[in-house]
Amino acid sequence: TQVVATETLDAIEVPWSTPLDQITLPSQILVLTNNGDWVYLPITWNTASYDSLQSGTYVFEGVITFPNSWEDQLPGPPTITVI
């Protein structure tokens, strides 16, 4: 099975100084397989760039956990924006 697309995630708006552990990032992402099926898979986010005391736009890249024998055919990693 090949994963060919993911859902588009809406940006998350947070007030200045919001600690990272208070930002609700999705733990699953909806993906499209080459069979035409949409399924949820686990995802973790690279949040190392986040600084709660620095206002701005942060784009976190996700790492999807694929089942054994599934192939990543995505053009790039999924992202979510935190503003």
Side-chain angles (χ1 to χ4, degrees), residues 32-59:
L32 177 64
T33 68
N34 61 319
N35 300 329
D37 296 325
W38 286 93
V39 296
Y40 282 99
L41 293 179
I43 189 166
T44 56
W45 300 98
N46 179 355
T47 58
S49 65
Y50 184 71
D51 181 349
S52 64
L53 300 180
Q54 181 69 44
S55 63
T57 300
Y58 296 88
V59 178

